[in-house]
């Protein structure tokens, strides 16, 4: 009976093998192996229906978040490692039951060759999936810690799964760029941006703080506030420079553990507290980016297209040049564009850094990430240092996907908005409060009705130093931002057409 159902042409054998690769059991049914064929195709149908049910009943953003869980990633890797050889064996057995020996010699050679190629071909996707997922898992485990850092609360998702954010409206993550090194004590954070994200809409405000902010105030009651009650002030360096600017807070805290009762590596915690106090928000976590590791990330995504408004000179002897014009920049040129202060200043550099961030956000689309995943994962692992708990990724990934399509505005605390030498702390906090409030507006009409005078944050404002009255008197007058003078801008606004 089986022989009567066997295909007798080379084309028929190849066709049934291809069908068997797509629908396991098809070749067995054709060859008369009814029971085996029905079992194979039934199991396959059950798996497909289960996957369809998951895709229809699960929010795609939540699914993306769940794909950060270790147990699920391990399951995928193991399943791919088992299914690959199983599919290979399926093709081989399908070829055998189709009895190609009944074909002429040329037909046997042709079908045997095609069967071998097909058997190898069906293994490749499973191997790629296993390799892709294992690389992804290793990158996540290398970057994110399993447990919260000292002083951080346990992830809210464990206590209230139906509301992973425990009722809070925003998540605040401090994004830092610096010259971090494992062999160096402390780090100078030359780029400091706080991303304040609405957990419901993904609307984000990116606050950029200048590296040269002086007289930094620390949260009352903290060891640094007790050491510097009138603001962060140290004697000038021998060369006339200063080591008491905002970008030195992390390094100073790491270098003076005696301030914290002997506790080491307090720099990150102190900087988070300080910037949070300055802006009137609570900073949840930080992510420190090695700036030259960032160049490798840009190379991994194939570069970024940016409009360079005018030539940017860089290098110890001004030997480097990023020419004006719109082009795709490689990692090194993009970083020099973002970091150079030659014939420029800190505030222009902050704007260029914002433009690079905006270009990466716009151009790192899913297709690019998938096709260059291995390079991106390797670059990212070398790039980031963070205290975000591993277990929070299941909530943060869906939130990041919301941000990709949400409204992202930027506030840069640079002159003339503030005077970095004589900061108006009340104004800084009021501007931050208003920018966050405006980002929560869902329609232009609502935004237009916002009050011109934002209220001060309920936690209080950093106080002025009583010992520096003459200096404080030289400040620019405090003036709440209005609709005609709104410092909140689009992330790529003013970037000369950066994509």
């Amino acid at each position: 009976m089986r022989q009567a159902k066997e295909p007798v042409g080379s084309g028929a054998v190849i066709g049934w093998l291809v069908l068997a690769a797509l629908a396991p059991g098809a070749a067995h049914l054709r060859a008369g192996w009814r029971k085996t064929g029905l079992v194979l195709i039934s199991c396959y149908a059950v798996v497909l229906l289960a996957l369809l049910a998951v895709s229809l009943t699960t929010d795609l953003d939540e699914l993306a978040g769940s794909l950060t869980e270790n147990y699920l990633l391990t399951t995928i890797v193991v399943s791919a490692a088992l299914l690959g050889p199983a599919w290979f064996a399926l093709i081989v057995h399908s070829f055998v039951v189709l009895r190609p020996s009944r074909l002429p010699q040329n037909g046997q050679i042709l079908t045997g060759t095609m069967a071998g190629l097909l058997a190898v071909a069906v293994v490749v996707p499973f191997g790629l999936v296993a390799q892709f997922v294992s690389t992804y898992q290793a990158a996540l485990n290398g970057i994110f810690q399993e447990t919260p850092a000292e002083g951080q609360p346990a992830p809210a998702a464990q206590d209230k799964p139906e509301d992973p954010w425990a009722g809070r409206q925003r998540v605040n993550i401090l994004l830092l760029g610096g010259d971090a090194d494992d062999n160096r004590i402390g780090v100078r954070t030359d780029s400091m941006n706080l991303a304040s994200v609405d957990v419901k809409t993904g609307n984000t405000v990116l606050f950029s703080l200048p590296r040269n902010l002086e007289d930094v105030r620390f949260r009352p009651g903290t060891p640094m506030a007790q050491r510097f009650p009138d603001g962060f002030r140290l004697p000038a360096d021998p060369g006339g420079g200063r080591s008491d600017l905002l970008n030195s807070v992390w390094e100073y805290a790491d270098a003076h553990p005696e301030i914290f009762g002997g506790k080491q590596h307090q720099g990150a915690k102190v900087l988070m507290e300080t910037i949070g106090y300055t802006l009137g928000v609570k900073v949840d976590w930080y992510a420190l980016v090695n700036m030259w590791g960032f160049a490798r990330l840009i190379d991994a995504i194939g570069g970024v297209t940016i409009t360079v408004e005018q030539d940017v000179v860089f290098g110890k002897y001004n030997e480097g040049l990023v020419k004006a014009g719109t082009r795709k920049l490689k990692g090194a040129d993009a970083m020099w564009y973002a970091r150079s202060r030659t014939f420029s200043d800190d505030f222009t550099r902050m704007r260029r850094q914002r433009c690079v961030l905006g270009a990466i956000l716009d151009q790192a689309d899913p297709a690019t990430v998938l096709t260059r995943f291995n390079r991106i994962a390797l670059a990212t692992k070398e790039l980031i240092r963070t205290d975000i708990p591993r277990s929070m990724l299941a909530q943060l990934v869906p939130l990041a996907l919301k941000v990709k399509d949400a409204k992202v505005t930027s506030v840069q605390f640079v002159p003339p908005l503030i005077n970095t030498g004589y900061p108006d702390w009340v104004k800084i906090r009021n501007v931050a409060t208003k920018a966050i409030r405006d980002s929560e507006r869902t329609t232009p009409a609502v935004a237009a009705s916002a009050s011109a005078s934002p209220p001060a944050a309920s936690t209080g404002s950093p106080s002025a130093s009583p010992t520096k009255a003459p200096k404080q008197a030289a400040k620019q007058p405090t003036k709440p931002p209005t609709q005609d003078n709104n410092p909140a801008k689009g992330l790529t606004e003013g970037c000369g057409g950066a994509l």
Side-chain angles (χ1 to χ4, degrees), residues 139-140 142-144 173-176 180 182 286-291 293-294 296-297 376-388:
L140 292 182
I143 295 171
F144 300 96
I173 302 177
L174 184 59
L175 308 174
L176 306 169
D182 291 338
Y286 80 91
L288 173 67
V289 173
N290 181 316
M291 297 303 289
F294 212 94
R296 289 193 290 274
L297 177 62
I376 292 173
L378 179 61
T380 303
K381 187 175 180 180
E382 298 173 352
L383 170 71
I384 297 175
R385 172 179 168 187
T386 182
D387 66 343
I388 296 175

Side-chain angles (χ1 to χ4, degrees), residues 409-427:
T409 55
S410 172
V411 176
Q412 296 194 82
F413 289 103
V414 298
L417 180 61
I418 66 165
N419 186 326
T420 58
Y422 307 94
D424 185 333
W425 305 109
V426 174
K427 180 177 181 179

Side-chain angles (χ1 to χ4, degrees), residues 160-192:
K160 193 175 181 182
E162 67 276 11
D163 181 8
W165 303 113
R168 60 178 165 176
Q169 297 179 339
R170 307 193 73 84
V171 171
N172 301 302
I173 302 177
L174 184 59
L175 308 174
L176 306 169
D179 50 359
D181 192 316
D182 291 338
N183 298 320
R184 173 178 178 168
I185 299 176
V187 56
R188 284 186 182 269
T189 51
D190 286 339
S191 174
M192 289 163 283

Side-chain angles (χ1 to χ4, degrees), residues 38-226:
L38 288 174
V39 170
L40 288 172
I41 206 163
S42 297
C43 292
Y44 185 60
V46 168
V47 171
L48 289 181
L49 290 173
L51 292 175
L52 179 62
V54 169
S55 65
L56 293 177
T57 59
T58 305
D59 181 86
L60 292 182
D61 289 352
E62 293 181 2
L63 180 60
S66 67
L67 289 176
T68 64
E69 300 285 359
N70 255 324
Y71 78 91
L72 186 55
L73 296 176
T74 301
T75 300
I76 293 173
V77 172
V78 172
S79 299
L82 294 175
L83 287 173
W87 229 271
F88 180 93
L90 171 70
I91 297 300
V92 172
H93 195 261
S94 296
F95 179 65
V96 170
V97 300
L98 290 172
R99 298 195 60 175
S101 59
R102 300 178 66 241
L103 298 172
Q105 185 176 9
N106 289 341
Q108 294 180 37
I109 294 174
L110 175 62
T111 56
T113 301
M114 293 302 297
L117 292 174
L118 186 60
V120 172
V122 297
V123 173
V124 171
F126 293 103
L128 290 176
V129 168
Q131 191 272 339
F132 179 98
V133 175
S134 61
T135 300
Y136 172 60
Q137 184 177 24
L140 292 182
N141 291 337
I143 295 171
F144 300 96
Q145 56 190 12
E146 286 291 344
T147 56
E150 179 185 355
Q152 291 287 338
Q158 296 177 358
D159 302 323
K160 193 175 181 182
E162 67 276 11
D163 181 8
W165 303 113
R168 60 178 165 176
Q169 297 179 339
R170 307 193 73 84
V171 171
N172 301 302
I173 302 177
L174 184 59
L175 308 174
L176 306 169
D179 50 359
D181 192 316
D182 291 338
N183 298 320
R184 173 178 178 168
I185 299 176
V187 56
R188 284 186 182 269
T189 51
D190 286 339
S191 174
M192 289 163 283
N193 298 276
L194 182 86
S196 181
V197 187
D198 188 306
V199 299
K200 291 183 179 179
T201 65
N203 288 349
T204 300
V205 184
L206 190 67
F207 297 105
S208 298
L209 292 161
R211 62 185 289 277
N212 60 340
L213 196 63
E214 297 186 34
D215 289 335
V216 176
R217 301 302 200 265
F218 300 102
R219 187 178 296 279
T222 62
M224 287 290 281
Q226 294 172 7

Side-chain angles (χ1 to χ4, degrees), residues 312-326:
V312 175
V313 178
F314 64 87
K316 185 175 181 180
Y317 303 104
N318 299 338
E319 70 276 13
L321 177 66
V322 181
K323 290 186 177 182
T326 300

Side-chain angles (χ1 to χ4, degrees), residues 209-417:
L209 292 161
R211 62 185 289 277
N212 60 340
L213 196 63
E214 297 186 34
D215 289 335
V216 176
R217 301 302 200 265
F218 300 102
R219 187 178 296 279
T222 62
M224 287 290 281
Q226 294 172 7
R227 171 66 66 94
F228 300 102
D230 299 323
F232 191 33
R233 201 70 177 174
L234 297 170
D237 297 335
R242 303 214 62 90
S243 297
D244 54 8
L245 307 176
L246 181 60
N247 74 323
S248 302
V249 169
W250 181 318
E251 185 177 45
Y252 184 88
D254 272 359
H256 294 83
E258 71 278 2
I259 300 177
F260 312 97
K263 291 183 179 180
Q264 301 283 336
H265 310 300
Q266 296 298 296
K269 180 181 178 182
V270 169
L271 187 59
M272 289 168 64
E273 287 179 344
T274 303
I275 290 179
Y277 180 56
T278 299
L279 297 176
V281 301
K282 179 184 181 299
V283 179
D284 297 291
W285 302 291
Y286 80 91
L288 173 67
V289 173
N290 181 316
M291 297 303 289
W292 291 109
F294 212 94
R296 289 193 290 274
L297 177 62
I298 291 174
D299 283 333
I301 66 174
V304 288
T305 300
I306 293 176
T307 295
V308 181
E309 300 86 348
Q310 60 185 29
D311 290 352
V312 175
V313 178
F314 64 87
K316 185 175 181 180
Y317 303 104
N318 299 338
E319 70 276 13
L321 177 66
V322 181
K323 290 186 177 182
T326 300
R327 72 175 65 84
K328 179 166 283 191
L329 299 182
K330 294 183 178 179
D333 283 342
M335 281 299 94
W336 279 121
Y337 168 75
R339 300 199 72 197
S340 177
R341 289 198 303 272
T342 304
F343 307 135
S344 184
D345 53 39
D346 281 319
F347 314 119
T348 300
R349 185 175 77 156
M350 287 171 64
R351 178 186 57 77
R352 294 199 303 262
Q353 289 172 354
R354 174 172 56 85
C355 293
V356 172
L357 287 173
I360 293 173
L361 183 64
D362 286 345
Q363 296 169 41
D365 56 272
T368 299
V369 172
L370 287 174
T371 55
R372 298 173 175 267
F373 182 78
N374 285 341
R375 294 181 62 190
I376 292 173
L378 179 61
T380 303
K381 187 175 180 180
E382 298 173 352
L383 170 71
I384 297 175
R385 172 179 168 187
T386 182
D387 66 343
I388 296 175
R390 177 77 167 77
S391 55
M392 283 304 299
L393 291 181
Q395 285 74 48
L396 287 172
V397 168
L399 185 59
L401 293 175
K402 285 183 182 179
V403 173
K404 179 74 176 176
D405 298 320
K407 180 178 72 173
V408 180
T409 55
S410 172
V411 176
Q412 296 194 82
F413 289 103
V414 298
L417 180 61

